[in-house]
Amino acid sequence: MKLGALEAGGTKMVCAVGNENGQIFERVSIPTETPEKTLPAIRDFFLGKGIEALGIGCFGPVDLHKDSPTYGYITTTPKLAWKNCNIVGYLKDALQVPVGFDTDVNGSMLGEATWGCARGLDTAIYITIGTGVGVGVLAGGRLLHGMLHPEAGHLLLTPHPEDHYKGKCPYHGTCLEGMASGPAIEDRWGKKAYELTDHTKVWEFESYYIAQALTAYILTLSPEKIILGGGVMHQEYLMPMIREQVKNLLNGYVDTPQMRDLENYIVLPSLNDNQGIMGALKLALEAIPV
Ligand code: ADP
Ligand code: ZN
């Protein structure tokens, strides 16, 4: 079976053709410009490929409520050209196949739950720390949507006592995304995040904020696994610092086998950075009526 997968991001659109086993046969990356320019380019990639369904993991916020008049739209995004864009409607009409749709981070969570390190789990979270911060949630073995969809990247935090940065989020200033996203690091320190490798304060603050958020997610959702992806996590010493700070913040209160084995509890993605596109394949598969 041939399935289409689209990982729709604010900087690039990754389009792939694969199958129901998560195998990818072909992929391209198209820069995200305006919908008028980018959507036809996506359509042209998939046309004639014989896909039976398309799955989309999309940057947001998005409308995931099937009974809503704006289902399948990108809604209040700060990427203004894409505000109120009917991405699902356009691709469904253009390709004439069923379309599965979810957030980008739920897509990555689904990829890891289907083929990766969260396979068989009841509850898990996938967090991306990149241009923005997003959180996908698996609960009861299914992706969690609720009222909108989780927006836990905007969790409000207590600033580090030595950090006087006002925060990058236009809505909340010092929320997790406002303090710990790649652009927040660059704005605070005046250099690209990957050029700050030797500055210990940068990573002390970074791990402090991520650990604060993880502590809140552990206490509220009780995940069995926490997966941390995104460009910023390429700084490899960050992971041990985050684990250490989570341990300090929880202070022994949550006493489970996972807490005694943080190396296998708070982990990097396991699918070679294919978790998003593989998750989109699974969204496509789930969109096919049974
Ligand atoms: P996106 O969020 O746009 O999908 P990424 O997850 O790659 O893409 O995130 C991009 C952000 O991650 C940029 O702000 C960049 O500065 C940061 N980043 C990318 N690579 C690294 C690295 N090696 N170390 C630290 N930060 C990085
Ligand atoms: Zn925010």
Side-chain angles (χ1 to χ4, degrees):
M1 178 190 287
K2 272 190 172 180
L3 298 168
L6 168 62
E7 209 180 350
T11 48
K12 62 182 193 297
M13 298 284 179
V14 180
C15 306
V17 176
N19 70 10
E20 70 278 20
N21 300 317
Q23 288 170 307
I24 295 157
F25 307 129
E26 184 186 354
R27 91 170 76 192
V28 295
S29 178
I30 297 167
T32 304
E33 294 174 63
T34 60
E36 291 71 27
K37 206 167 159 192
T38 307
L39 289 177
I42 296 169
R43 172 199 63 200
D44 291 348
F45 169 78
F46 286 113
L47 268 181
K49 296 264 163 47
I51 59 169
E52 287 183 45
L54 174 69
I56 309 174
C58 190
F59 72 91
V62 290
D63 187 344
L64 301 175
H65 283 287
K66 291 234 166 82
D67 52 357
S68 155
T70 52
Y71 167 75
Y73 281 55
I74 298 168
T75 58
T76 54
T77 177
K79 283 195 78 71
L80 289 178
W82 291 83
K83 201 171 167 169
N84 304 319
C85 171
N86 184 5
I87 185 167
V88 171
Y90 177 90
L91 291 170
K92 206 172 175 165
D93 284 350
L95 301 170
Q96 295 289 315
V97 292
V99 175
F101 186 55
D102 216 312
T103 62
D104 45 6
V105 274
N106 263 353
S108 294
M109 180 69 255
L110 185 61
E112 291 287 352
T114 311
W115 291 293
C117 67
R119 219 173 331 171
L121 297 183
D122 176 273
T123 307
I125 59 178
Y126 182 97
I127 305 159
T128 182
I129 316 225
T131 307
V133 179
V135 183
V137 179
L138 185 82
R142 301 168 62 89
L143 296 173
L144 185 70
H145 299 125
M147 174 186 66
L148 171 69
H149 44 71
E151 278 287 357
H154 290 268
L155 195 77
L156 306 180
L157 301 177
T158 305
H160 189 286
E162 292 169 44
D163 186 8
H164 305 295
Y165 179 54
K166 65 184 187 330
K168 183 93 180 145
C169 177
Y171 291 89
H172 321 108
T174 60
C175 67
L176 176 62
E177 179 169 301
M179 294 307 247
S181 64
I185 298 172
E186 287 159 21
D187 190 38
R188 186 199 277 105
W189 303 97
K191 272 190 184 172
K192 290 276 176 204
Y194 61 81
E195 295 171 329
L196 291 160
T197 302
D198 300 330
H199 293 60
T200 48
K201 272 283 171 246
V202 175
W203 309 108
E204 186 188 321
F205 289 0
E206 186 71 10
S207 56
Y208 172 78
Y209 293 125
I210 296 170
Q212 241 191 84
L214 296 196
T215 302
Y217 308 150
I218 291 167
L219 295 170
T220 48
L221 294 163
S222 201
E224 297 165 286
K225 179 93 65 186
I226 296 175
I227 306 162
L228 283 173
V232 174
M233 288 310 299
H234 289 138
Q235 297 289 327
E236 44 197 44
Y237 42 82
L238 200 48
M239 193 54 116
M241 294 173 82
I242 292 167
R243 293 189 187 114
E244 190 60 33
Q245 301 237 36
V246 165
K247 206 168 158 183
N248 292 342
L249 288 168
L250 284 170
N251 200 20
Y253 182 69
V254 178
D255 187 16
T256 61
Q258 289 89 337
M259 287 297 141
R260 294 187 284 275
D261 184 20
L262 290 182
E263 281 74 20
N264 287 306
Y265 180 60
I266 304 173
V267 298
L268 294 170
S270 69
L271 295 170
N272 240 337
D273 267 336
N274 286 324
Q275 59 278 2
I277 205 75
M278 290 171 77
L281 283 177
K282 181 71 173 171
L283 288 172
L285 189 62
E286 289 180 350
I288 297 175
V290 280

